[in-house]
Amino acid sequence: MNRRTMLGGLGAAGLAGLAGCLGLVGMDKHESSPAGVNADVRDETGYEETDVDGITIEEEVGVGGVSETIAVTNYVTEHEKAVEIPPIGSQRAAVFSVLTSPQIGVADRNVNPIEDMSAAELVDLVADNYDDIGNVSHEDDDEISILGETTLRSRFSADATFDGHDLEVDVHVTEAVDAGDDLLVTIGVYPAELRGREKDNVLALMEGVSTDRDDETGDGTDDENGTSDGDEGETDGDDGDDREGNDTDADDGDLLENLD
């Protein structure tokens, strides 16, 4: 499965919302900051921060005969945990992701549509952009506090393929919360048979999200230039600043891997 494609879908959705907005001149680049989970919560739940990806989506938009290229950089901070899955054995099949996407203001309003997307819309976007996940079904909703803001947390069941084996998974998605200059969404995935343990861990990770991320994974670059790996729709996320964790690959064979 491909977490990067999911991010590309979210980024493209954000850019589509900009196409009809006025006042784009001079607002051509937007970048979020990576967020993570407090170290003590990671330790308690057994999850390890493994990857930070910066994904830049570019699109040319036109307003009143004037066109300009808009670039939006989203970040995802990935956390993984090895769990036992019969008959596969111990695999990094429990994954928790923290996505940040920049708030983009035009005429005193945010035009990034992620702000208003429901959990059902977010999980549909995830499923639409994964080759190996389908048959998504809504199971339950509840409220949860992230960064001091109460938001909706929804659980979905889905069919997935992992290491050649069919597997039922739980997918937890939260609706976007305000993270300063960014919007923040969390996504937790684990084998459904481990729900009795991993559901509580995912909820703890959500509540333990922090914008003050400790740099456990280093600078997150694959090479000295920090360039992307050439996935379709992605560009070099390095806009000349020193943002952390730009564009990494952690080829561990987990539920959200196998890059296209």
Side-chain angles (χ1 to χ4, degrees):
M1 294 184 186
N2 186 345
R3 68 170 179 273
R4 286 168 161 266
T5 307
M6 178 270 290
L7 283 175
L10 289 173
L15 287 170
L18 297 177
C21 297
L22 299 176
L24 291 177
V25 176
M27 301 180 61
D28 57 340
K29 293 182 180 180
H30 306 270
E31 183 174 4
S32 64
S33 298
V37 176
N38 288 323
D40 57 346
V41 178
R42 296 199 307 265
D43 291 342
E44 290 171 3
T45 58
Y47 281 71
E48 176 188 2
E49 183 182 301
T50 57
D51 199 13
V52 181
D53 280 335
I55 310 299
T56 299
I57 312 299
E58 291 188 354
E59 183 171 308
E60 186 170 316
V61 298
V63 179
V66 178
S67 65
E68 139 176 56
T69 299
I70 304 298
V72 174
T73 299
N74 300 321
Y75 281 91
V76 63
T77 304
E78 198 85 2
H79 307 77
E80 298 176 348
K81 178 181 180 179
V83 294
E84 195 72 25
I85 313 173
I88 306 173
S90 179
Q91 301 286 340
R92 288 182 171 273
V95 180
F96 182 76
S97 303
V98 182
L99 167 72
T100 57
S101 185
Q103 298 202 50
I104 304 170
V106 174
D108 296 324
R109 66 186 180 92
N110 175 54
V111 295
N112 187 332
I114 293 176
E115 180 177 39
D116 297 320
M117 293 181 74
S118 68
E121 290 173 319
L122 288 167
V123 80
D124 283 346
L125 195 57
V126 171
D128 287 346
N129 285 280
Y130 283 152
D131 293 332
D132 299 322
I133 189 169
N135 195 25
V136 178
S137 177
H138 177 260
E139 298 295 337
D140 59 54
D141 296 315
D142 204 351
E143 291 184 340
I144 195 165
S145 179
I146 298 178
L147 298 178
E149 180 179 339
T150 299
T151 190
L152 183 71
R153 188 275 309 163
S154 297
R155 180 174 65 90
F156 301 84
S157 62
D159 295 331
T161 302
F162 177 66
D163 198 23
H165 294 264
D166 293 334
L167 190 68
E168 183 181 353
V169 296
D170 281 355
V171 182
H172 293 258
V173 179
T174 58
E175 295 182 358
V177 298
D178 190 312
D181 293 331
D182 303 326
L183 298 169
L184 185 147
V185 171
T186 67
I187 303 166
V189 182
Y190 55 79
E193 64 186 85
L194 303 180
R195 183 181 307 144
R197 180 181 68 218
E198 293 308 321
K199 178 180 178 180
D200 287 343
N201 285 333
V202 164
L203 298 183
L205 291 165
M206 290 175 172
E207 293 175 337
V209 164
S210 174
T211 55
D212 297 323
R213 190 186 67 84
D214 58 326
D215 191 11
E216 181 177 295
T217 56
D219 66 5
T221 55
D222 279 339
D223 55 48
E224 62 183 3
N225 297 318
T227 55
S228 68
D229 62 2
D231 287 349
E232 183 178 355
E234 297 177 15
T235 67
D236 185 353
D238 185 359
D239 290 328
D241 61 14
D242 293 323
R243 300 275 185 173
E244 297 177 287
N246 190 22
D247 200 10
T248 66
D249 293 326
D251 188 11
D252 294 312
D254 61 38
L255 275 170
L256 304 182
E257 290 289 340
N258 301 324
L259 303 181
D260 292 336

